[in-house]
Amino acid sequence: MKTDLFKTTLIAAMVAGMAACGGGGGGGSVSLPDDGDDLLPTDGTFGSVTMLEGTAYTSQAVAQLVALASATSVLPSVNALMAREVPPFTENCATGTIDFVVNDVDGDGEISVGDVVTANFNNCQPDADDDTRINGSLEATLVEDGTTWGESTIELMDLNIDGVTYNGSGRLRLLQDAEFFRNEFTGGPLETSFSSSAGNFLMTMNEVLAEVVNNDATGESKFVADARVSGTFAGATLNFVLTTLEDFAILPTLDGPSSGELESVAGDGSQLNVVAQSDGDTVSVSLDDNGDGTVDAIDEYTYDQLD
């Protein structure tokens, strides 16, 4: 799993700027803060004005979707699982393990389509160069879908990835060949939650698409994160739709994505667009604060300003 994928969650933090904007009612002008640090929540208020309902929390939605898709890339493909024997077995992570238990539903003595596999993560660190730790379990039924994709249907998820819990259901597709590694989670509902000094965060995502792709030949990575989000945090109501308009791409020579666009539309129609710039170091942020189709503010930020 490429650790660069986790750097892409910095883009998501830009979206918090929607709630940290100056201006507001009474016809006042809208502006974006000079420094990206001002975009990030420090006390649960997300800036002096919560201008756009829920959309500020898009940062959490993207970060959690990318983290889930990236973290589960440590799982063997369905085809690889089906080559294993039925008794319990263990896969090693960089540190920690994943223990697999198989319910041989058809009793044929082999791992085959229709069998139920439980993966138990034991402080699994997928990549030695990344501090991410995974605990908990996935319960999935193996599904056959041609020879290219390995696919499973997740009935039960109870994972903890770096303090964020994930519960839900969906479909996990893994592709591993000589050139690409592709990991795709679809479906929902997917519930995520964590606790902070500002309060308890609870988010439900439906119509989920979380996909990460690594090209081993070129070293390039891409990610997509789409979802319909609702939930609560520190008394705020979450209600927004997250759409990746263009895949975010990271070249091996750059620190961040050099292309890609993310759109977040809140329940009141207000909208934020985040566009990665070709230098791999900056993003352009445009804000429509009232949903009238007019850009009310636009600015650029570096990833360092978000760090």
Side-chain angles (χ1 to χ4, degrees), residues 104-119:
D104 184 13
V105 175
D106 55 13
D108 63 358
E110 301 177 349
I111 301 177
S112 54
V113 171
D115 289 347
V116 179
V117 177
T118 301

Side-chain angles (χ1 to χ4, degrees), residues 88-294:
F89 57 91
T90 298
E91 293 280 336
N92 292 320
C93 305
T95 61
T97 60
I98 310 174
D99 295 328
F100 290 89
V101 179
V102 180
N103 179 6
D104 184 13
V105 175
D106 55 13
D108 63 358
E110 301 177 349
I111 301 177
S112 54
V113 171
D115 289 347
V116 179
V117 177
T118 301
N120 296 305
F121 292 79
N122 305 300
N123 204 32
C124 171
Q125 181 183 8
D127 192 319
D129 295 326
D130 192 283
D131 292 333
T132 295
R133 300 283 179 163
I134 312 172
N135 288 281
S137 62
L138 286 173
E139 182 180 289
T141 299
L142 303 188
V143 179
E144 186 174 19
D145 188 21
T147 58
T148 303
W149 283 100
E151 187 168 351
S152 56
T153 301
I154 298 174
E155 284 81 29
L156 177 66
M157 177 188 300
D158 183 14
L159 291 180
N160 184 293
I161 304 174
D162 287 342
V164 179
T165 62
Y166 295 77
N167 291 279
S169 59
R171 207 168 183 90
L172 183 66
R173 309 179 80 195
L174 300 175
L175 167 65
Q176 294 170 300
D177 61 22
E179 185 176 5
F180 287 97
F181 180 90
R182 182 190 302 268
N183 190 6
E184 175 187 289
F185 176 86
T186 57
L190 175 65
E191 291 187 351
T192 66
S193 61
F194 65 89
S195 297
S196 71
S197 59
N200 296 322
F201 184 100
L202 176 63
M203 182 164 58
T204 299
M205 292 181 272
N206 286 286
E207 302 173 30
V208 173
L209 168 61
E211 181 183 55
V212 294
V213 181
N214 293 333
N215 186 325
D216 292 333
T218 65
E220 182 178 357
S221 299
K222 292 185 178 182
F223 85 85
V224 174
D226 295 350
R228 182 176 296 275
V229 180
S230 61
T232 57
F233 178 66
T237 298
L238 311 185
N239 176 22
F240 59 92
V241 177
L242 175 69
T243 306
T244 302
L245 302 180
E246 178 187 352
D247 294 3
F248 284 92
I250 308 174
L251 298 174
T253 55
L254 299 175
D255 290 333
S258 57
S259 63
E261 181 175 2
L262 179 73
E263 174 186 270
S264 185
V265 181
D268 62 359
S270 51
Q271 178 175 320
L272 186 81
N273 285 69
V274 180
V275 181
Q277 302 300 291
S278 60
D279 60 6
D281 190 50
T282 57
V283 290
S284 172
V285 181
S286 60
L287 170 68
D288 172 4
D289 76 320
N290 56 11
D292 65 357
T294 300

